[in-house]
Amino acid sequence: MKLTLWTYEGPPHVGAMRVATGMKGLHYVLHAPQGDTYADLLFTMIERRDHRPPVTYTTFQARDLGGDTATLFKTACQDAVTRFAPEALIVGASCTAELIQDDPAGLAESMNLGIPVIPLDLPSYQRKEGFGTDETFLQIVRHLAKPVARTAQITANLIGPTALGFRHRDDIVEVTRLLADMGIAVNVCAPMGARPSDIARLGAAQFNVLMYPEHAESAARWLETNFKQPYTKSVPIGVGATHDFLAEVAAITGLPCKSDTSRLRLPWWTCSVDSTYLTGKRVFIFGDGTHVAAAARIARDEMGFEVAGLGCFNREMARPIRALAKEYGVEALITDDYLEVEAAIAALHPEMILGTQMERHIGKRLGIPCAVISAPVHVQDFPARYSPQMGWEGANVIFDTWVHPLVMGLEEHLLHMFRDDFEFHDEAGASHHGGKHVARPVGAEAAAAAAIEVGSMPAEIAFPAQDTQPETATESNVIWLSDAENELRKIPFFVRGKARRNTEKYAEGKGLTRISIETLYEAKAHYAR
């Protein structure tokens, strides 16, 4: 563990909270010191849930460490059962409480609470949040799932969606619709929306749809081994992946592959004039393994982008992401350090970033458009509207989400290009049809002009003479003169970085220490040959 400003994953008990919060009738008793209740904010403020997570904390303090903290835990368990009347209880310890070794599992089992008690062994100092969701759901399935007769109709379980997941709520609706088009009903969706009694009837379905491998692959494997339920390997994010998913479902069930693609607009839009001029853009992709793999395929095969780099923060997905990177001809970045990610992006100079909330901030600092494709995310990525990532509607949402930052970047570039125009410069007033154009002095210039008018400040002091060629230092040893810097800003943002690097390389090769507008055009002519 290390102290950091941002983190891609919390400790594993946060993953357990995601599972518990997604379910109903399940309660989590967490042996934790006072202060660990901060995790509640992730759900009530970021996900904007209308109720707090079903978690009871022991909240022991420093003075309790010299006494009987085990009794505090047992009291918390009894109080939780009495107050909330859950169908089942999961128990565990936070990273701090793990050090005092009170054995929450053994303590809870010895109390004879009258409901199933599921112990969680989540090594806080070796594993992280993704492992916490996967392991917690596995233990719930192992303890509660029972052998039952299959349903007469072909049904499927949707497994993997949790609370605080990236668009999990809407993905459930979209996948349910895809299955319904083939005549397949959903038996149980878990953890999201399921009760412990629902987990007991998982075995009634003919197969499982593994929506998010990070959160439920262990449970899917266990169900395949013990209940002989196959599970899908294709994650339906993107047009191609959705077709693959439906074909896989057809192969498992023997049903004909059917789907209503009337809602699908991405293929037409990607061929339209408004988007074809964005093809060939170099993108850097980073996030959890599932969404990164899906985004890479969409970027290259469906949007016409070039994948300049990719990686993931969850080490459990390191092997498949490294294999995928090799297929795309790039080197995978496997790290949970956002500073390493920023350094990689800065070195590659992509035209766009597809990432998490952290990459959104990195993009702001580097001046690169960014679209969010993966958790961790902030409040704006839990929209009130229907906004899935999976299925046909998910493909439409992804197109909009990715293309809009590029389009808005172009709009800003055009506004900047014309900022010196007599009508559109920053100090100009409104120029609508039928209205009179009036100059609008702003800020310090307006104050200085007023001072000159009343005679309180000489003009030479109010508006001192400016150096006609101010200089801008760069990381290299060359300096950009103002005329060259202004001309550089007229170049579209998505190739401006390359133009700057090529010009500086050209200047250094010629032994120049200053870049003028003539140097800029000479470099352009040199690299155009």
Side-chain angles (χ1 to χ4, degrees):
M1 298 182 71
K2 61 183 178 181
L3 184 64
T4 182
L5 177 63
W6 289 335
T7 182
Y8 289 99
E9 294 184 277
H13 73 263
V14 173
M17 287 182 66
R18 291 179 60 179
V19 173
T21 304
M23 293 184 65
K24 300 174 181 177
L26 180 73
H27 201 80
Y28 184 19
V29 177
L30 181 61
H31 200 24
Q34 189 177 38
D36 272 6
T37 55
Y38 73 90
D40 282 12
L41 299 178
L42 296 173
F43 302 92
T44 56
M45 293 184 66
I46 294 179
E47 193 176 15
R48 297 190 287 192
R49 293 183 68 86
D50 57 358
H51 58 279
R52 65 177 296 276
V55 181
T56 294
Y57 302 87
T58 56
T59 58
F60 59 83
Q61 302 178 49
R63 65 172 178 266
D64 298 317
L65 296 178
D68 189 1
T69 53
T71 299
L72 286 175
F73 177 79
K74 294 172 72 172
T75 301
C77 286
Q78 188 62 64
D79 290 347
V81 172
T82 302
R83 179 180 178 185
F84 299 106
E87 294 180 19
L89 205 67
I90 56 176
V91 297
S94 72
C95 48
T96 309
E98 189 179 317
L99 299 174
I100 61 178
Q101 300 180 337
D102 273 338
D103 186 21
L107 292 171
E109 288 178 349
S110 68
M111 294 178 64
N112 297 319
L113 295 170
I115 59 173
V117 176
I118 303 167
L120 302 178
D121 182 15
L122 305 177
S124 300
Y125 295 94
Q126 290 83 37
R127 308 304 290 267
K128 293 193 174 183
E129 183 179 328
F131 171 82
T133 58
D134 186 70
E135 178 65 16
T136 299
F137 187 54
L138 170 63
Q139 294 306 321
I140 290 173
V141 170
R142 290 185 63 182
H143 281 78
L144 300 179
K146 307 295 181 185
V148 292
R150 297 279 199 256
T151 57
Q153 178 190 1
I154 295 179
T155 59
N157 298 317
L158 307 185
I159 60 175
T162 71
L164 209 64
F166 184 60
R167 310 293 169 82
H168 289 194
R169 173 199 66 191
D170 298 338
D171 285 349
I172 291 170
V173 177
E174 192 65 23
V175 173
T176 299
R177 185 179 294 178
L178 290 174
L179 294 175
D181 288 342
M182 293 183 64
I184 301 170
V186 173
N187 177 52
V188 173
C189 177
M192 181 71 79
R195 306 184 70 88
S197 54
D198 295 325
I199 301 298
R201 56 187 184 86
L202 281 173
Q206 276 72 22
F207 69 102
N208 293 310
V209 173
L210 178 57
M211 296 177 65
Y212 310 100
E214 283 87 352
H215 308 312
E217 186 167 6
S218 295
R221 292 180 182 276
W222 189 89
L223 290 166
E224 183 179 49
T225 300
N226 292 273
F227 289 176
K228 303 298 184 262
Q229 289 175 317
Y231 65 91
T232 57
K233 312 301 190 300
S234 301
V235 179
I237 300 178
V239 177
T242 301
H243 280 299
D244 291 348
F245 169 76
L246 294 173
E248 187 177 7
V249 170
I252 290 173
T253 61
L255 295 171
C257 186
K258 295 180 181 178
S259 183
D260 177 12
T261 59
S262 62
R263 296 175 290 118
L264 178 61
R265 301 180 185 89
L266 180 142
W268 184 88
W269 282 109
T270 53
C271 296
S272 68
V273 173
D274 288 337
S275 61
T276 52
Y277 71 95
L278 297 174
T279 58
K281 298 298 172 283
R282 299 171 67 255
V283 297
F284 182 90
I285 308 172
F286 194 85
D288 69 53
T290 293
H291 286 90
V292 164
R297 179 177 180 179
I298 296 169
R300 184 185 68 179
D301 300 342
E302 298 174 21
M303 303 284 281
F305 294 157
E306 176 189 344
V307 177
L310 60 81
C312 70
F313 58 78
N314 48 336
R315 296 187 180 276
E316 293 84 357
M317 295 289 285
R319 182 172 295 177
I321 291 301
R322 286 195 176 101
L324 183 69
K326 186 175 181 181
E327 176 188 335
Y328 281 72
V330 298
E331 184 176 350
L333 176 64
I334 312 298
T335 182
D336 59 0
D337 187 340
Y338 66 92
L339 294 176
E340 290 185 27
V341 179
E342 181 167 3
I345 294 172
L348 288 170
H349 299 282
E351 279 89 51
M352 187 179 187
I353 304 168
L354 303 174
T356 72
Q357 173 68 9
M358 267 78 91
E359 282 66 51
R360 194 208 307 269
H361 288 298
I362 289 170
K364 287 179 181 177
R365 288 200 298 276
L366 299 179
I368 303 173
C370 178
V372 173
I373 63 161
S374 162
V377 294
H378 203 14
V379 63
Q380 65 263 50
D381 289 303
F382 289 99
R385 68 186 183 280
Y386 181 61
S387 186
Q389 295 290 284
M390 293 186 177
W392 307 131
E393 188 59 28
N396 297 333
V397 170
I398 287 171
F399 176 81
D400 286 342
T401 304
W402 294 15
V403 169
H404 287 173
L406 289 172
V407 172
M408 294 309 295
L410 281 172
E411 181 178 291
E412 291 176 8
H413 166 67
L414 291 173
L415 291 173
H416 189 84
M417 278 185 64
F418 292 105
R419 69 185 306 166
D420 294 327
D421 185 275
F422 77 95
E423 190 175 8
F424 298 110
H425 64 87
D426 291 344
E427 287 75 34
S431 58
H432 305 296
H433 291 296
K436 183 180 180 182
H437 175 74
V438 179
R440 185 177 58 214
V442 296
E445 292 185 7
I452 293 171
E453 185 176 349
V454 299
S456 61
M457 183 182 295
E460 60 271 17
I461 297 177
F463 295 107
Q466 299 291 322
D467 184 353
T468 57
Q469 288 283 61
E471 302 170 344
T472 302
T474 67
E475 293 181 0
S476 63
N477 294 323
V478 297
I479 293 174
W480 285 76
L481 299 178
S482 63
D483 61 347
E485 190 75 47
N486 290 334
E487 193 70 12
L488 181 70
R489 293 194 185 101
K490 298 179 181 179
I491 299 174
F493 70 96
F494 46 81
V495 292
R496 190 180 304 147
K498 184 176 181 180
R500 178 185 288 276
R501 295 191 301 278
N502 284 347
T503 305
E504 290 175 357
K505 182 179 178 181
Y506 175 82
E508 289 175 347
K510 294 292 184 179
L512 303 174
T513 59
R514 297 188 178 190
I515 295 176
S516 64
I517 192 169
E518 290 79 13
T519 311
L520 179 62
Y521 281 110
E522 289 171 6
K524 178 182 177 182
H526 171 77
Y527 286 103
R529 286 196 287 266

